[in-house]
Amino acid sequence: MADIRLLERTLRENVTWNRARINFLARFLIAVIEVRTVNLSEVATVFVGRAKPASHYKRVQRFLRFFELPYAQVARFVVRLLGVSAPWVLTLDRTDWYLGETPLNIMVIGIAYRGVAFPVLWTVLEKKGCSDTTERIELVKEFGRIFGYHSIAYLCADREFIGKDWFAWLRSQEVDFRIRVRENTKVINGRGQLVAIHRLFRSHRIGEPLVLERARAIWGLPLFVSGVRLWSGEYVIVVAPRFTDAAVSEYARRWEIETLFSCLKSRGFRLEETHVVHPERLKKLVALLAFTFCWAHIIGEWLTQAKPLKLKKHGRKAMSIFRHGFDHLRRILCNLMSRPQQVAFRQVTKLLSCT
């Protein structure tokens, strides 16, 4: 059984919650790592303490239902754990799934870092499908209120996150961006004709990015355009509010949030197994996973400093930094009767301290 007192003390140094909430957070972190799922029935079975699983289950429900969670404080804690100074590359995307016929749809802003995005802010969309301009703006506004727009190096997002009003608002706040647009987006070519944007790149060499040196009018906004034609015949076309000769490669960092989603879901905590459907409770559950994800990732970084991960023949790592840390922490928690693992638990708990 884990001695959670050190974990509680470490969390208390960094999160100004009352003692009962800190105690709950410590127990939840340990439980969700041990069972590797956010299914609350499973989590309750391994909660540290003498109470019966039914009591632990009710305690989790009470936390999700009644606790007013300070999301700005969670965001600042994540950034302190990340330990990287601004300005940051932000990546914006959604992940969604269904529980029966109920759509669960979460939009997340993450800070791109070493192949994964650290979750900073998120919102639960009470609908299926794409976000709208207002929802995107509100999420980025919240980031600006907490950290300031000056802390954003640039924002990258996929083709869902386009539109005149959205781009105009980002420009008005001087938020730089690298956002992919659809191939059929209309643009004025060099002859003054309105054409599909992919036509500007179709005669260029396959696989070689092309950067257009002057801004083009898209939805009436002057934007700089870069693109590449892939061997599959598809085009990756990226727009930015100011000239950059690396827009396509910079946009590629958007994929780091996909890695985060896989950590939260199938490769990590199996978020899609939750039966929590109430939007605000689901948002709180994601906050708890943000703590857990960050802990596992910094443990993985700590481990790789001592012994780098092996590379496979294709050049990629045998496992992600997150999974390396997650598996290490899970082995510790599942074998705490061993004295060496108790020592190891104290070591990895201290890594959570930002002070």
Side-chain angles (χ1 to χ4, degrees):
M1 179 180 293
D3 182 355
I4 67 169
R5 288 173 295 182
L6 175 60
L7 181 55
E8 287 183 274
R9 287 196 298 270
T10 304
L11 291 171
R12 200 176 300 120
E13 293 170 358
N14 301 282
V15 182
T16 57
W17 298 0
N18 65 39
R19 185 178 295 274
R21 300 306 183 191
I22 291 290
N23 177 268
F24 170 84
L25 177 59
R27 292 169 187 265
F28 185 90
L29 294 181
I30 291 170
V32 78
I33 290 166
E34 287 185 344
V35 298
R36 201 187 156 213
T37 179
V38 294
N39 184 294
L40 300 187
S41 297
E42 296 292 326
V43 170
T45 62
V46 297
F47 242 52
V48 178
R50 297 180 179 179
K52 294 181 178 179
S55 297
H56 291 312
Y57 182 79
K58 290 178 181 178
R59 185 178 182 185
V60 178
Q61 287 185 314
R62 286 195 300 271
F63 178 92
L64 297 178
R65 184 177 302 171
F66 299 118
F67 181 45
E68 295 295 328
L69 204 155
Y71 294 103
Q73 190 179 94
V74 175
R76 293 189 185 98
F77 181 56
V78 168
V79 166
R80 290 200 303 272
L81 281 176
L82 179 60
V84 177
S85 301
W88 304 298
V89 175
L90 302 187
T91 176
L92 173 67
D93 206 353
R94 288 184 310 107
T95 185
D96 58 0
W97 68 98
Y98 279 81
L99 179 63
E101 296 183 358
T102 303
L104 301 177
N105 194 357
I106 304 173
M107 182 167 60
V108 181
I109 287 179
I111 295 176
Y113 174 71
R114 296 189 67 183
V116 70
F118 273 58
V120 179
L121 291 172
W122 50 91
T123 186
V124 177
L125 306 178
E126 298 182 49
K127 61 182 183 181
K128 63 180 179 180
C130 299
S131 61
D132 60 38
T133 298
T134 300
E135 291 162 339
R136 301 167 201 160
I137 289 175
E138 284 303 312
L139 195 59
V140 179
K141 271 186 178 179
E142 181 63 16
F143 186 93
R145 282 191 289 267
I146 299 171
F147 301 107
Y149 295 120
H150 64 276
S151 67
I152 304 174
Y154 61 86
L155 171 74
C156 46
D158 203 9
R159 289 165 288 187
E160 172 186 329
F161 300 90
I162 59 175
K164 179 179 179 179
D165 293 340
W166 164 238
F167 284 171
W169 181 83
L170 290 172
R171 289 172 58 89
S172 71
Q173 304 302 316
E174 298 184 353
V175 175
D176 201 0
F177 56 84
R178 311 286 184 268
I179 297 180
R180 185 179 179 184
V181 296
R182 299 188 180 104
E183 297 178 13
N184 61 357
T185 300
K186 298 301 181 182
V187 64
I188 303 294
N189 66 8
R191 300 177 182 177
Q193 300 169 320
L194 189 66
V195 299
I197 198 168
H198 78 274
R199 294 183 61 180
L200 304 179
F201 302 92
R202 65 180 182 177
S203 61
H204 195 64
R205 184 178 301 172
I206 295 175
E208 182 178 303
L210 173 64
V211 181
L212 305 184
E213 294 187 353
R214 65 179 179 86
R216 304 299 173 107
I218 300 176
W219 300 306
L221 301 172
L223 296 171
F224 289 89
V225 183
S226 303
V228 62
R229 182 161 59 112
L230 306 179
W231 287 99
S232 64
E234 187 180 9
Y235 293 82
V236 176
I237 302 170
V238 180
V239 298
R242 55 181 69 110
F243 178 80
T244 172
D245 60 3
V248 172
S249 61
E250 290 171 342
Y251 159 78
R253 300 200 66 184
R254 185 200 78 81
W255 288 100
E256 297 186 28
I257 201 167
E258 299 289 355
T259 304
L260 167 66
F261 292 154
S262 69
C263 294
L264 296 180
K265 297 169 80 174
S266 58
R267 294 184 182 180
F269 308 113
R270 303 208 289 265
L271 179 57
E272 66 274 29
E273 293 183 2
T274 184
H275 287 190
V276 177
V277 297
H278 186 279
E280 185 57 33
R281 296 172 198 171
L282 182 57
K283 185 177 179 180
K284 293 173 187 175
L285 181 61
V286 174
L288 296 175
L289 292 187
F291 281 108
T292 319
F293 167 82
C294 291
W295 192 15
H297 197 279
I298 62 174
I299 291 171
E301 288 192 299
W302 174 67
L303 291 171
T304 56
Q305 288 173 3
K307 184 178 181 181
L309 289 168
K310 293 181 179 180
L311 298 179
K312 291 188 174 181
K313 291 182 179 179
H314 49 51
R316 291 193 288 271
K317 294 175 182 175
M319 66 174 66
S320 69
I321 292 174
F322 159 78
R323 190 54 188 266
H324 191 32
F326 181 78
D327 288 349
H328 182 75
L329 182 54
R330 194 159 182 257
R331 282 194 299 271
I332 291 172
L333 292 174
C334 292
N335 295 279
L336 273 176
M337 297 300 292
S338 163
R339 176 65 180 172
Q341 298 300 348
Q342 293 171 11
V343 173
F345 181 68
R346 288 195 290 271
Q347 289 177 322
V348 297
T349 298
K350 292 178 180 177
L351 295 175
L352 265 179
S353 178
C354 301
T355 57

